[in-house]
Amino acid sequence: MSSSAGLSPSLENYLEAIFNIVAEKGVARTRDICLRLGIQAGSVTGALQSLSREGCINYAPHELVTLTESGRATAARIVFKHNKLRQFLVEVLELPRKDAETIACSMEHYTTVEMAARLAAMTDFFANAPELRKRLTRCMAEAVQSCRDGCEMNSITAEGNQIMVNSANTVTLMEAAPGRKYTILKVHGRSTVARRLTEMGAGKGAEVLVERVAPLGDPIEIKVRGYRLSVRRSEAKNIEVVVK
Amino acid sequence: MKIRVALTGNPNSGKTTVFNALTGSNQHVGNYPGVTVEKKVGRRSYAGHEMEIVDLPGTYSLTAHSPDELVARNFLINEKPDVVVDIIDSANLERNLYLATQLLELNVPLVMAMNMSDMAERSGASIDYEKLGGYFGAEVVATVGSTGHGMTDLLNAVVKKAGLAKRPEPLRKISYGDDIEAEIERISAMLPGACELVAERGARWVSIKLLEQDAEVAGEIRDVSIVDEVEKSVVRIRKICGDSPAVIMAERRYGFISSVYESSSRQSPEARHDVSDAVDKILLNRVWGIPIFLLMMYLVFKLTFTVGDPLMGLVESMTGGLSGFISGFWEEGSESMLRSLLVDGVIGGVGGVVIFLPNIVLLFLAIAVLEDSGYMARAAFIMDRAMKKTGLHGRSFIPMIIGFGCSIPAIMGTRIIEDRKSRYATIMVLPLMSCGARLPIYALLIPAFFPPSYHGVMMWLIYVIGIVLAAVLATVLRRSILKGDEEEFLMELPPYRMPTIRGLFMHVWERSRLYLQKAGTVILMLSILLWGLTNFPRPDAGVLEGLSDEQAQEVSLRTSAAGRIGTAIEPVIGAMGFDHRIGVALIGALAAKEVFVAQMGIVYSLGQADEEWQTLRERIAQDYTPLQGFCIMLFTLISAPCVATMAITRRETKSWKWALFQFFGLTTVAYVITVIVYQVGGLVI
C-alpha cells in the first residue's frame, strides 16, 4: 500500500507542516511554513507548486495556502504514521523523546498506514500488560548493554501474540474529515474526560460525524447519537476513530 | 396524601416547561436562581393529593461533574422523594435514557415522561411505551410540555406510582460483564454494615458507585480494608479491560440502552437534516459566524438602550411625581426632617435605582431569547477559542453577558462551569462586566462632561475597558493562583426552539427580581443610613449666620459625619482627583454602586427641595473637570463590587477569603489605574 500519492519525503514534510499549521491557526501562510521547517522563503515556492500540481493544496503566489480534500487525507495519513511511530518509539522502545521525534520524522515516509496501526496496537498492548513491559524493559537494557560491549545486537523476543489490529484507517477525531461517518474506537487521555465523553454517548462503538469547526478554529462540533456536541481540539485528539 | 415529587432530566429536555405546566403559577423559587441552578419548588393539588414538586437542575448523569449537577444528585439520593419523574427528550432518546439507567439502579419509584413526543412522532419515531417502561420498572407517559398535553396522564402516573408499596421488578438487569460483575460481587460481600447507604440503596448500588470511584459514596466508607479492596478491584479491571471501570460501565449502560431501544422501538426516526442544521449552516458559518455573533450582541445592547430610554423616562417621571406628591403634604420651603428623609433619602435613593429597571429587564429579556432559542450555546461555541486564550471557558461567556445586567445572577450562573479553578476565575472578574447599577453613574456623568456626539463613544469606552481588564485579570489569575489543567469543553448544542412567552417571562423575572430585591432592601437601608450621615450632626445655628446658601451648605456637609469621613480620606483619594464630596458618595458606592448617584444628589440638594437631575449635572459640571468625571467612572467601574456581590461570592466560593480577595484586589487595581490615568491625564491635557 503506497499511502502517499507518490510524493517525495521532502514534499511529504511540507504537506505535514501545512496540515499542522492549518490545524493550529486555521490557515497557512508561506512565512509560517518557512518558520516551521527552518528554511528560506525562496525554496518554498517550488515545493508548493509541486504540491499544487499533485492536487494536494490550493496555492497561488501571495495567497493563503489551503489543503484540498485529497491533500488533507494524505497529510492525515502522514501525521497518523508519525504519531504512532513516535508513540511506539517512546512508549515501547523507550527511546528519548528527542531521538524518537527525529526517527519518526524520517521513518514516516517509508512506512505504511497499516504498519503504523500494527505498531500502535503493540503500544496499547504493552501499556495494558505491565508484567510483560517490565520483562521487555529488562531485555532491551541487556541488549543495549551487550550491543555496546560487543557491538552486536541480540535478538529481542517479546512475548506478545494476541496483537489486535483495529484497522489500518484509524485516525483521531481531529484528523477526521468533516461530513464523514466514523466509529469511535477508544477515548484516550485523562480518565475524567473519557468518562464524561462516554456518559454523554461519545464512547467506544458510538457513531460520530464531524459537523463543523468553529469560526475561530476551535472547538469542533460533532454529531453523536442524534445530537450535537461541542468538543475542543485537545479532546478530539484523544478520540480514536475509524471510518465507517 | 402528600406526595413529594422530584423532576429530573437532561438539560434541554424541556423539564422547566413541564414543571410550569404542572404547577402553574403556584411555585416559588429557591433564594437565588441563576441559569436554573437552584431547585424550584411548586405545589399542585390533584385527585385529593397534595403534591410538592421540586424542579432539579438538568443533569446528564448521576456522576456530578459540576456544582449544579451535584444539587440534583444529592437531592435524589439524600432527600428520597416519593416519586421521581425523569423528563426525557423523546427526539433524543438514547442519551436521555442514560440518566434513566442510573435511576433504575438507584431503585427509585420512577415515572418516565416522554417529553416533546410530538417532535419525535413527526420525525417518524414510534416507541412501545409499555415495553420501555417494563425494562425500567417505570410508568411511561407521553407529554408535550409546551402545550400541556399529557399532564393529566403524568399526574395519574405519579399518583399510581406513589400508591405502590414496591416497585415492579424490571425486565432485565444491567449486566456489566463477567469481569466487573465478579468484582461487584466481591465488594458487595464485604459491605453489609459498612455505611447507611448500603441499607438504603443495596450493596450492589454502593459497590457500583465505589468501582466508579464516586467520591461522595467513597467518603461514606470508613473501613480502610474495603477502600483497599476497591482500589485493587479498580486496578484489576483496568488491567483486564484496558480502561477505568467508570468508562467500561458507562459503555455497558449504553449497550443496555441499545438493546432496550431496539426491542421497544417500532420504527426508528428517519435520519434527515432538520431545521437546526440549516440554521447552523448560516449562524455558525466560518465566514459569517463571527459577524452575525457581533451583530447579535450589538442588537442586544441596542435594544436595551434605545427601547429602554423612553421607558426609563416614564419611570423617572413617576418617581418625580411621587416625590412631588409627598412634598405636597408640607408647605413650600419647609425644613421638616421627615419630608427630607422621605423625598431626599428614600425616593431619591431607591428611585434612582428603580429608574434603570427597564434597561435591566430588557437586557435580561434579550438574553432569555438568546438562551431559550438555543443561540447562547452557539455563542459559547464561537467564543470558546477566544475565552480559552484568557484561560477561561466558552461556558464563562454566558454568565459574563448576564453580568452586564447584574453580577448576582451572573455569579450564580457560573455553576454551569465544571472546573473549580476556571469557575472561580470567572467569578473574580465578573464584577468588571459593567452592570446595570453602574449605568446611573455613567448616565449622570457622561452628559455632564462630554458633548452629545461623544456620549455613545464614552459609554462604549467604559464597557470596553471593563471587558479588556476582565480578560487581562483572568489571564493573570489563570496563570498564577488559579493555575490549572486545560480542561475539556463538552457542551451540547441544543436544537433551535421557538421561545415561549411564559419561559421568557420566568427567566426575566427570576433575574430582575434580584435587582429589585436589592433596591428594596440593601439600597433602601443604605439610603436612609447615608441620609442620616450626611445630615447629622448639624452645625450650630450661629455658625451659618451671614453665609450665602451655598456656603451654608458646604459648612453643613463638612460638619456631618459623612463629610468628616470624606475629609479624612481626601489625602488618599486626592491622588485620583477626588474631593471629600466624591469621597462621601464613593463610600455609598462601596455598598451598592447606584448609591453613588443618590448620594451625590443628597450632597448637592441639602437644604433645597425638588432638585432635578439636570440641575445636579450642571452643578457637578461646574465643580469638576471632565478628567475627574472620567476618573470617577473608571474607579466605580473597577473598584470594589457591591455588598450583595460580595455576599454571593462568599456563598458560591464558600469562603470569605475569595470574597475579600475580590473586594480588595479589584479596589487596589482600580486605585492604581485611576491614579495613573489622573496623573498622566493631568500632564497631557
Side-chain angles (χ1 to χ4, degrees):
Chain A
M1 173 178 165
S2 167
S3 55
S4 36
L7 298 179
S8 71
S10 133
L11 283 184
E12 284 193 343
N13 278 340
Y14 276 103
L15 192 57
E16 192 182 1
I18 295 166
F19 181 84
N20 285 329
I21 293 166
V22 171
E24 279 165 31
K25 302 192 174 173
V27 292
R29 291 184 184 78
T30 317
R31 190 163 48 89
D32 296 331
I33 300 168
C34 295
L35 271 174
R36 182 160 301 235
L37 294 172
I39 47 172
Q40 296 294 314
S43 42
V44 174
T45 318
L48 291 181
Q49 278 163 354
S50 307
L51 279 175
S52 175
R53 267 199 305 279
E54 291 287 345
C56 292
I57 58 167
N58 303 312
Y59 171 72
H62 312 301
E63 282 197 311
L64 295 176
V65 178
T66 55
L67 291 166
T68 64
E69 202 56 45
S70 91
R72 228 187 110 77
T74 308
R77 277 196 294 273
I78 301 167
V79 170
F80 173 76
K81 287 189 285 187
H82 178 99
N83 288 343
K84 295 304 171 195
L85 274 166
R86 193 198 52 221
Q87 267 176 10
F88 177 81
L89 294 171
V90 171
E91 288 178 41
V92 180
L93 298 190
E94 298 177 338
L95 291 177
R97 248 164 217 289
K98 218 174 137 233
D99 294 359
E101 191 65 50
T102 326
I103 298 172
C105 265
S106 38
M107 274 178 82
E108 71 193 19
H109 308 298
Y110 302 102
T111 184
T112 61
V113 170
E114 193 186 337
M115 176 180 161
R118 280 170 191 266
L119 286 179
M122 210 156 141
T123 312
D124 272 355
F125 176 83
F126 279 107
N128 292 322
E131 278 312 312
L132 287 178
R133 245 212 93 81
K134 262 187 218 147
R135 282 171 64 184
L136 178 63
T137 308
R138 261 201 318 275
C139 284
M140 288 193 303
E142 280 166 26
V144 172
Q145 195 54 48
S146 65
C147 176
R148 281 203 190 115
D149 294 346
C151 220
E152 185 185 342
M153 196 69 155
N154 285 357
S155 62
I156 301 160
T157 49
E159 289 174 37
N161 35 25
Q162 287 183 304
I163 295 178
M164 297 188 304
V165 179
N166 292 323
S167 163
N169 293 321
T170 63
V171 284
T172 72
L173 196 56
M174 205 182 98
E175 296 150 0
R180 228 165 143 187
K181 280 184 181 159
Y182 293 82
T183 306
I184 296 177
L185 286 181
K186 191 168 161 63
V187 183
H188 301 275
R190 274 196 300 155
S191 67
T192 49
V193 182
R195 178 178 190 176
R196 187 57 157 173
L197 276 165
T198 313
E199 285 189 334
M200 295 200 55
K204 196 193 281 174
E207 185 183 288
V208 59
L209 176 95
V210 177
E211 192 79 10
R212 64 168 56 79
V213 178
L216 294 173
D218 194 18
I220 61 174
E221 178 190 335
I222 62 172
K223 247 195 184 159
V224 61
R225 296 194 201 265
Y227 79 100
R228 303 170 190 81
L229 184 66
S230 149
V231 188
R232 274 187 181 168
R233 277 171 180 279
S234 44
E235 286 115 49
K237 263 198 315 220
N238 285 324
I239 304 176
E240 200 174 330
V241 294
V242 64
V243 175
K244 208 173 154 80
Chain B
M1 193 173 84
K2 200 176 171 213
I3 307 175
R4 288 163 64 241
V5 186
L7 295 191
T8 183
N10 284 187
N12 310 307
S13 61
K15 211 162 40 61
T16 306
T17 19
V18 172
F19 177 69
N20 289 339
L22 281 179
T23 60
S25 55
N26 197 359
Q27 50 176 275
H28 63 91
V29 181
N31 35 4
Y32 277 123
V35 199
T36 327
V37 285
E38 199 69 281
K39 46 183 192 270
K40 284 180 270 180
V41 187
R43 274 169 220 292
R44 172 77 186 243
S45 299
Y46 182 77
H49 300 281
E50 269 308 310
M51 294 186 188
E52 186 189 274
I53 303 172
V54 179
D55 183 21
L56 297 172
T59 178
Y60 292 107
S61 79
L62 290 186
T63 318
H65 292 271
S66 66
D68 60 328
E69 289 182 342
L70 195 65
V71 172
R73 175 214 146 101
N74 286 349
F75 188 87
L76 289 173
I77 293 175
N78 302 333
E79 302 291 320
K80 305 183 197 72
D82 299 318
V83 178
V84 175
V85 179
D86 183 8
I87 313 287
I88 288 166
D89 174 2
S90 319
N92 186 0
L93 199 53
E94 277 183 272
R95 198 205 61 217
N96 274 261
L97 284 178
Y98 186 80
L99 182 63
T101 62
Q102 293 193 307
L103 294 170
L104 165 65
E105 283 183 324
L106 194 59
N107 200 19
V108 293
L110 184 62
V111 173
M112 291 159 76
M114 309 300 286
N115 201 25
M116 304 190 229
S117 49
D118 53 338
M119 298 224 304
E121 271 163 39
R122 236 177 286 147
S123 74
S126 168
I127 303 281
D128 185 336
Y129 291 145
E130 211 162 304
K131 211 163 185 183
L132 185 69
Y135 284 112
F136 289 93
E139 294 288 321
V140 181
V141 289
T143 57
V144 182
S146 50
T147 63
H149 171 84
M151 289 306 135
T152 319
D153 296 343
L154 180 56
L155 288 166
N156 284 332
V158 168
V159 171
K160 186 176 166 199
K161 200 81 211 174
L164 292 179
K166 196 169 153 275
R167 66 178 283 161
E169 265 317 297
L171 282 180
R172 199 187 295 170
K173 200 178 70 167
I174 302 169
S175 161
Y176 294 106
D178 294 343
D179 298 321
I180 294 183
E181 287 294 338
E183 302 299 332
I184 293 176
E185 231 163 80
R186 214 171 56 82
I187 295 170
S188 295
M190 294 186 293
L191 283 178
C195 68
E196 248 176 72
L197 277 172
V198 179
E200 283 166 14
R201 302 287 170 196
R204 181 180 169 82
W205 185 79
V206 175
S207 313
I208 289 171
K209 286 288 138 188
L210 287 174
L211 282 175
E212 284 184 321
Q213 295 171 295
D214 181 303
E216 311 277 320
V217 174
E220 297 278 315
I221 304 286
R222 296 273 164 266
D223 190 342
V224 188
S225 65
I226 297 179
V227 178
D228 281 350
E229 285 304 314
V230 171
E231 192 52 44
K232 276 185 208 156
S233 293
V234 171
V235 172
R236 203 150 34 220
I237 292 169
R238 211 185 266 276
K239 217 184 272 178
I240 300 169
C241 306
D243 234 324
S244 75
V247 172
I248 306 278
M249 287 158 102
E251 281 167 8
R252 284 287 180 162
R253 290 194 190 111
Y254 269 104
F256 173 82
I257 291 166
S258 296
S259 71
V260 164
Y261 185 72
E262 287 295 310
S263 63
S264 50
S265 92
R266 296 196 206 100
Q267 203 183 339
S268 338
E270 296 160 36
R272 59 171 184 191
H273 282 272
D274 55 6
V275 183
S276 295
D277 284 323
V279 176
D280 273 342
K281 274 224 165 73
I282 304 161
L283 295 189
L284 295 183
N285 183 286
R286 282 211 83 150
V287 180
W288 294 110
I290 292 174
I292 292 174
F293 163 77
L294 293 175
L295 182 71
M296 292 270 194
M297 292 301 120
Y298 174 76
L299 287 178
V300 166
F301 287 97
K302 190 80 186 155
L303 173 87
T304 307
F305 292 115
T306 45
V307 182
D309 276 352
L311 291 173
M312 212 170 87
L314 201 69
V315 180
E316 200 174 352
S317 63
M318 269 159 56
T319 56
L322 184 66
S323 81
F325 174 74
I326 291 180
S327 293
F329 288 105
W330 286 269
E331 41 187 279
E332 193 82 16
S334 157
E335 290 281 314
S336 158
M337 271 324 311
L338 180 63
R339 192 206 68 87
S340 169
L341 172 66
L342 288 177
V343 175
D344 301 331
V346 176
I347 299 177
V350 177
V353 176
V354 174
I355 285 172
F356 289 88
L357 192 64
N359 275 327
I360 288 183
V361 168
L362 283 167
L363 176 64
F364 285 154
L365 179 68
I367 291 170
V369 170
L370 293 184
E371 270 183 333
D372 291 4
S373 64
Y375 184 75
M376 207 52 130
R378 269 82 181 173
F381 178 71
I382 291 174
M383 286 302 289
D384 182 57
R385 179 81 187 256
M387 301 291 283
K388 198 170 113 182
K389 283 244 148 66
T390 67
L392 296 180
H393 203 273
R395 278 188 209 207
S396 310
F397 177 73
I398 299 167
M400 291 205 155
I401 291 290
I402 298 173
F404 286 119
C406 177
S407 299
I408 298 164
I411 290 175
M412 301 281 308
T414 61
R415 290 194 192 173
I416 53 170
I417 302 167
E418 291 167 13
D419 180 72
R420 189 186 71 93
K421 287 180 176 166
S422 81
R423 175 164 174 246
Y424 280 20
T426 311
I427 293 177
M428 289 303 121
V429 302
L430 250 178
L432 291 169
M433 300 291 113
S434 186
C435 70
R438 271 98 147 191
L439 266 179
I441 304 174
Y442 312 147
L444 174 72
L445 297 178
I446 292 178
F449 295 111
F450 302 97
S453 54
Y454 285 94
H455 289 181
V457 181
M458 286 309 295
M459 193 70 119
W460 278 106
L461 183 65
I462 287 286
Y463 275 81
V464 169
I465 290 174
I467 296 168
V468 170
L469 200 59
V472 171
L473 291 185
T475 313
V476 172
L477 285 174
R478 286 292 277 161
R479 275 163 189 61
S480 54
I481 52 174
L482 286 170
K483 194 171 182 166
D485 293 335
E486 193 176 283
E487 44 151 344
E488 71 266 26
F489 178 59
L490 297 178
M491 184 186 65
E492 184 184 355
L493 298 172
Y496 288 104
R497 279 184 200 130
M498 189 50 102
T500 63
I501 302 289
R502 201 190 154 108
L504 293 178
F505 175 78
M506 297 281 297
H507 261 120
V508 171
W509 169 239
E510 279 169 14
R511 292 185 180 133
S512 311
R513 208 174 56 98
L514 296 171
Y515 183 79
L516 264 182
Q517 209 171 30
K518 197 171 74 161
T521 54
V522 179
I523 295 180
L524 175 64
M525 254 163 48
L526 288 168
S527 302
I528 295 173
L529 178 73
L530 289 169
W531 174 85
L533 286 176
T534 34
N535 277 282
F536 298 99
R538 321 196 100 195
D540 300 329
V543 179
L544 296 181
E545 253 169 60
L547 294 176
S548 72
D549 273 0
E550 211 146 297
Q551 286 166 318
Q553 191 186 317
E554 180 67 27
V555 172
S556 300
L557 182 64
R558 285 219 181 243
T559 321
S560 72
R564 288 173 202 209
I565 300 173
T567 312
I569 59 170
E570 214 166 24
V572 181
I573 59 174
M576 297 188 286
F578 301 167
D579 64 7
H580 66 279
R581 276 177 301 201
I582 297 173
V584 172
L586 282 178
I587 290 166
L590 285 185
K593 298 283 178 186
E594 312 85 318
V595 175
F596 180 87
V597 173
Q599 189 63 10
M600 285 306 265
I602 294 172
V603 167
Y604 273 104
S605 67
L606 284 172
Q608 287 172 29
D610 302 323
E611 277 283 3
E612 291 289 331
W613 260 49
Q614 198 49 46
T615 2
L616 179 58
R617 250 178 221 144
E618 279 163 18
R619 297 286 302 273
I620 292 174
Q622 238 169 52
D623 289 358
Y624 303 102
T625 66
L627 179 62
Q628 281 170 314
F630 181 76
C631 285
I632 296 173
M633 291 194 280
L634 200 58
F635 188 75
T636 46
L637 166 72
I638 310 167
S639 74
C642 67
V643 172
T645 304
M646 250 181 105
I648 205 78
T649 299
R650 198 211 78 85
R651 213 189 78 175
E652 291 298 310
T653 59
K654 297 193 186 64
S655 92
W656 275 112
K657 199 184 78 185
W658 286 107
L660 293 173
F661 173 71
Q662 186 183 44
F663 185 88
F664 288 109
L666 289 175
T667 308
T668 311
V669 171
Y671 185 73
V672 171
I673 292 181
T674 314
V675 167
I676 293 172
V677 169
Y678 183 68
Q679 300 297 341
V680 174
L683 296 177
V684 175
I685 295 171

